[in-house]
Amino acid sequence: MQHPRQIELQLEGLSCASCVGRAERALAAVPGVAAASVNLATRRARLELDDAAALAPAIEAVGRAGYPAALDSTRLSVEGMTCASCTGRVERALLALPGVTTAVANLATRSVTVTHAPGISPQALAGTVTRAGYKASAPEDAPDAPPPEDEAGAMRRRMILSATLTLPVFIMEMGGHAYPPFHHWLMSMVGTQPLWILQFLLTLAVLAGPGRIFFTIGIPALLRGAPEMNSLVAMGAGAAFLYSTVATFAPGVLPEGGVHVYYEAAAVIVTLILLGRWLEARARGRAGQAIRRLVELAPATARVIRAGEPVEVAVAELVPGDLVQLLPGGRVAVDGELVKGEGAIDESMLTGEPLPVAKAPGDPVTGGTVNGASALVYRVTATGADTALARIVRMVEDAQAAKLPVQGLVDKVTRVFVPVVIALAVLSFAVWLALGAGLAVALVSAISVLIIACPCAMGLAVPVSIMVGTGRGAELGILFRRGDALQRLADARVVGFDKTGTLTMGRPALVALEVAGGVAEDEVLRLAAGAEAQSEHPLAAAVIEAARARRIAPAAASGVSASAGRGLAATVEGRAVLIGNARALSEAGITPEPALIARAEALSAEPATPVHVALDGAHVAVMAMADPLRETSAAAIAGLHGLGIQTRLISGDVQAAADAVGARLGMDHVTGGVLPEGKLDAIRAMGEGSVFVGDGINDAPALAAAETGIAIGSGTDVAIEAAEVVLSSGDPASVPRAIRLSRAVMRNIRQNLFWAFAYNVALIPVAMGVLVPFGGPRLSPMLGAAAMALSSVFVVTNALRLRRFS
């Protein structure tokens, strides 16, 4: 009798006895949960499960009840995974472990990401994978992973050794077919038996040396009843070698006419597949370059100012508050705030935008970005895992480790693929033997079936495209926080935008200045900036920023007084300055200038906020304040329309303001005056294929409610956490770029899957000899090995084309 499995979960949101009761009832209602008890003091739920598969539904149920379970996520490095069958077995071994809710193995990164209940150690997870036949390392005890170049180098050395030993065997056996006199000369000089013995020794060296990996991994997997790609190679090459060995040393046990050797087949099979593994390792190394380039952006040392002098220290020793000297052309070590100097910094690694960004004291600087020609000093604000660069790397790694919904078809096929191939090989052998073709023909047919089948290409088809696509996205400032967003974004039908901070700059700016009475614009701006310098109103900042942009120094002001809802008055260089709305002019007894009033009415319709300026009791100017559109907003909307996608503006601003922005951008539908709850209703009304783009805290629910949420990277952390895609550049034009990238990745995945499946569907029957009775070809094991090796290389190389996406 099977005993119930006990699991403990840490729950959030428990605050009273009623909460405990609701959580217990939600858990107990799940089929497979034998008992559930919740402790309010420890905030823990103890479950007894009749079925381990009930854990995931139990976690979902208690989450729906309002008490989400706190789960841990662990990523393990796994050695020995070579095909989709391997990844499936690793996942099933982990999912059978009590407390594990999800396990996603990634063939491209040779890793597995496990979501599990707290209390399960990474070492226990690694031990489970190792017992399944694949050596796994927990994060804290894993050695530093060698770069893919090292893996490719080791495989290259194996391949070269195998090819060196195989070449004489191939020449001895196949040279006579190409040039018959060579065969006669060789037989007369050496003789058949000595040649076969020499081939035996060389082939044995190939199988026991560079080809040993297929047997040490494949045979144990076969004995465990879990055969995979290495098992197919070991069976095929091993069968050819054993048959040839019998023909060499005990030919009498074989039927008449069946004494042939296939040493060259066994040796060439191993060599060609090692060649494919080497080419695949090289290609995978290039596929993972995006993360390595990001990691390498951070310098190893920084010049920290200690006791007034710069001292070179390791970046790992930096702490928040340190002052770091940044030399011209130097790379920013960690995130910080500029405290001294002005200059331009190249932030293309962060945003994908090539133009340097002007920086002044108070502006943020990001680790990994490159300084221009100025000497700067910045104060450290974040180090280690808290830096923007570290967060970007984590986002890309998490996206690359994800499993897309399209992978489900691959998983179903590969779960039975290898056993089916073995069954087809046995069937082919039996049928040809029954038809009287002879033992040698039957054996060659069976070996060809074993060798030609390639679950490697199936396993690599999806993850390698995700790896390259998300890496390229990071280079363009498009960060996929979750890999499955790639697939959903490709199906986008309608994109909704927030207005403020997303399509607009999110802060007021001076967009127009109209003067009268012969007063100069710069003079009005100088005096107005002086008066506004002592105000905290958002519009005051716009006036001061406009003066700074024109390199105008604000004048000194005194006697500043503000009137709520009207404006402010001040004395600036002995002149009376009034800044405010039309009511402020009227209450001050100032006669409005008709031309300026008409201009103010026109500005209000654009829409913009008119602000009047009076000097010494005379109305001399009107300033227009507005939240300007981002320069690329119009291009973003046009780009989406070019992709056949509808656009909607969903804004909390008044309907008139929203209509004005929507009309200027040519958007299909505009909804204004909505509260955060109204945004949720508007997004639900968008239906399938909905995408929402926002930046603020009030956008977080909407970002989570849409099928795909896209956060402007310059927005709040809450919005970014709620989204699946982050645009680190803050550029709305990256929205159509992200959709094009996701469609390119999905198109690439479909191409890879077609090749992987079509290859096997087309060539396995050829290997079985199905076409021979109709005059078709019979596939030799050597050609099968070449095709098998090249199929994986094709899939990875096809995915690498995504690196050229622009």
Side-chain angles (χ1 to χ4, degrees):
M1 178 180 176
Q2 186 178 9
H3 296 287
R5 303 180 179 188
Q6 290 193 347
I7 299 293
E8 282 196 352
L9 297 174
Q10 188 75 38
L11 301 184
E12 300 174 0
L14 294 173
S15 58
C16 63
S18 298
C19 302
V20 170
R22 282 193 290 271
E24 287 180 342
R25 288 191 295 273
L27 291 168
V30 177
V33 176
S37 62
V38 178
N39 187 312
L40 179 60
T42 62
R43 306 291 199 273
R44 297 181 77 85
R46 175 169 293 182
L47 309 181
E48 291 187 2
L49 304 180
D50 292 329
D51 183 2
L55 177 61
I59 290 173
E60 291 180 9
V62 76
R64 287 195 300 270
Y67 313 103
L71 300 177
D72 290 342
S73 180
T74 301
R75 182 172 298 168
L76 304 174
S77 298
V78 184
E79 299 177 15
M81 290 195 304
T82 56
C83 65
S85 299
C86 302
T87 59
R89 290 189 183 91
V90 168
E91 291 171 354
R92 289 192 292 275
L94 287 166
L95 290 171
L97 194 66
V100 172
T101 58
T102 63
V104 179
N106 190 304
L107 183 59
T109 59
R110 300 295 197 266
S111 65
V112 60
T113 302
V114 191
T115 304
H116 56 89
I120 302 178
S121 68
Q123 288 76 15
L125 298 172
T128 299
V129 176
T130 300
R131 286 190 294 275
Y134 305 92
K135 185 179 178 182
S137 301
E140 50 265 37
D141 58 17
D144 290 337
E149 289 81 5
D150 288 352
E151 178 189 349
M155 197 60 67
R156 178 175 178 270
R157 289 189 291 272
R158 276 202 192 99
M159 184 274 297
I160 290 175
L161 176 58
S162 181
T164 302
L165 295 169
T166 298
L167 186 59
V169 179
F170 183 81
I171 291 174
M172 282 186 280
E173 188 62 30
M174 305 303 292
H177 293 284
Y179 186 60
F182 173 76
H183 173 73
H184 300 309
W185 173 82
L186 200 58
M187 291 300 104
S188 64
M189 291 292 293
V190 183
T192 300
Q193 188 67 9
L195 280 177
W196 284 6
I197 293 174
L198 180 57
Q199 291 181 37
F200 164 80
L201 294 173
L202 291 170
T203 305
L204 180 62
V206 170
L207 300 185
R212 184 175 65 253
I213 58 172
F214 299 114
F215 295 88
T216 56
I217 298 174
I219 298 302
L222 185 64
L223 296 177
R224 288 194 305 270
E228 34 90 275
M229 177 249 174
N230 291 292
S231 304
L232 298 180
V233 177
M235 291 173 65
F241 178 75
L242 290 176
Y243 184 91
S244 302
T245 301
V246 171
T248 301
F249 298 103
V253 304
L254 297 176
E256 186 178 351
V259 181
H260 303 287
V261 295
Y262 300 98
Y263 291 120
E264 86 288 349
V268 170
I269 285 168
V270 169
T271 300
L272 288 174
I273 295 176
L274 287 175
L275 171 64
R277 290 272 183 94
W278 169 52
L279 294 174
E280 177 192 324
R282 284 184 60 198
R284 280 193 294 106
R286 290 197 295 271
Q289 279 179 357
I291 283 185
R292 287 198 302 281
R293 281 199 295 267
L294 287 173
V295 172
E296 291 166 357
L297 286 174
T301 61
R303 295 168 62 89
V304 181
I305 299 176
R306 300 274 166 84
E309 295 294 329
V311 179
E312 198 87 8
V313 301
V315 169
E317 298 176 10
L318 294 177
V319 295
D322 279 343
L323 291 178
V324 180
Q325 186 182 71
L326 185 59
L327 298 178
R331 196 174 285 275
V332 181
V334 292
D335 294 0
E337 180 181 292
L338 196 61
V339 296
K340 184 179 179 182
E342 294 186 3
I345 290 182
D346 179 1
E347 296 186 341
S348 58
M349 55 72 59
L350 178 70
T351 65
E353 299 298 326
L355 295 179
V357 179
K359 298 288 182 179
D363 290 338
V365 294
T366 305
T369 56
V370 180
N371 185 23
S374 303
L376 308 174
V377 177
Y378 66 92
R379 181 181 292 108
V380 174
T381 57
T383 60
D386 296 327
T387 63
L389 180 60
R391 291 198 300 271
I392 290 173
V393 171
R394 282 199 303 275
M395 283 186 192
V396 178
E397 286 179 337
D398 290 343
Q400 291 184 347
K403 178 172 286 190
L404 267 60
V406 72
Q407 182 77 35
L409 172 63
V410 181
D411 293 342
K412 291 178 182 178
V413 172
T414 54
R415 186 166 185 171
V416 298
F417 180 80
V418 175
V420 167
V421 169
I422 293 175
L424 290 174
V426 172
L427 175 64
S428 179
F429 178 84
V431 168
W432 283 111
L433 206 60
L435 293 175
L439 180 62
V441 172
L443 181 66
V444 168
S445 177
I447 292 173
S448 296
V449 173
L450 291 172
I451 297 301
I452 194 97
C454 187
C456 305
M458 295 182 193
L460 289 168
V462 177
V464 76
S465 293
I466 297 174
M467 175 184 282
V468 181
T470 53
R472 181 59 182 146
E475 294 172 347
L476 296 172
I478 303 167
L479 304 175
F480 291 90
R481 295 188 64 245
R482 301 178 182 92
D484 53 357
L486 267 172
Q487 184 167 344
R488 290 200 305 274
L489 193 58
D491 298 328
R493 295 175 50 253
V494 55
V495 177
F497 287 88
D498 173 53
K499 180 178 76 70
T500 305
T502 302
L503 294 173
T504 67
M505 298 300 294
R507 60 181 184 274
L510 179 65
V511 295
L513 174 58
E514 190 84 14
V515 296
V519 182
E521 287 187 8
D522 287 357
E523 179 66 8
V524 170
L525 199 54
R526 188 177 72 86
L527 296 173
E532 297 282 16
Q534 299 182 39
S535 172
E536 296 182 354
H537 195 281
L539 296 184
V543 175
I544 296 169
E545 182 62 32
R548 182 188 301 173
R550 296 194 187 189
R551 300 185 180 277
I552 297 173
S558 61
V560 178
S561 63
S563 175
R566 305 289 193 276
L568 63 81
T571 300
V572 184
E573 294 183 346
R575 304 188 69 177
V577 178
L578 175 68
I579 304 172
N581 54 24
R583 183 179 298 178
L585 293 178
S586 175
E587 291 178 355
I590 297 173
T591 303
E593 177 68 33
L596 294 178
I597 294 297
R599 179 60 175 148
E601 292 175 353
L603 290 170
S604 297
E606 287 193 11
T609 301
V611 177
H612 299 276
V613 180
L615 295 179
D616 299 326
H619 187 195
V620 297
V622 61
M623 300 184 293
M625 304 295 182
D627 183 6
L629 289 172
R630 293 180 184 267
E631 293 181 359
T632 56
S633 293
I637 303 306
L640 290 171
H641 288 160
L643 293 173
I645 296 174
Q646 290 187 352
T647 56
R648 296 191 177 193
L649 181 61
I650 305 172
S651 174
D653 209 343
V654 295
Q655 186 69 45
D659 285 338
V661 170
R664 287 179 63 185
L665 296 177
M667 303 187 78
D668 299 312
H669 189 271
V670 178
T671 303
V674 294
L675 298 175
E677 297 80 7
K679 283 190 177 181
L680 293 180
D681 294 336
I683 287 169
R684 293 189 185 105
M686 288 161 61
E688 293 184 2
S690 64
V691 178
F692 183 73
V693 187
D695 75 311
I697 291 176
N698 62 326
D699 293 328
L703 289 167
E707 285 191 8
T708 307
I710 300 180
I712 295 292
S714 54
T716 65
D717 289 342
V718 175
I720 291 172
E721 286 300 315
E724 288 89 7
V725 183
V726 177
L727 307 180
S728 61
S729 65
D731 181 0
S734 292
V735 175
R737 189 179 303 140
I739 294 174
R740 287 198 304 272
L741 176 60
S742 66
R743 290 182 177 180
V745 171
M746 292 309 301
R747 185 165 56 247
N748 193 271
I749 287 173
R750 285 191 291 271
Q751 292 166 353
N752 285 349
L753 288 176
F754 171 80
W755 170 261
F757 285 114
Y759 157 84
N760 284 287
V761 169
L763 292 187
I764 287 180
V766 177
M768 292 178 68
V770 171
L771 302 180
V772 171
F774 306 99
R778 183 189 300 279
L779 200 65
S780 75
M782 285 185 292
L783 291 177
M788 179 186 192
L790 291 175
S791 64
S792 296
V793 175
F794 174 88
V795 164
V796 179
T797 304
N798 185 51
L800 286 175
R801 293 190 305 114
L802 291 170
R803 295 171 66 195
R804 298 196 297 269
F805 175 87
S806 63

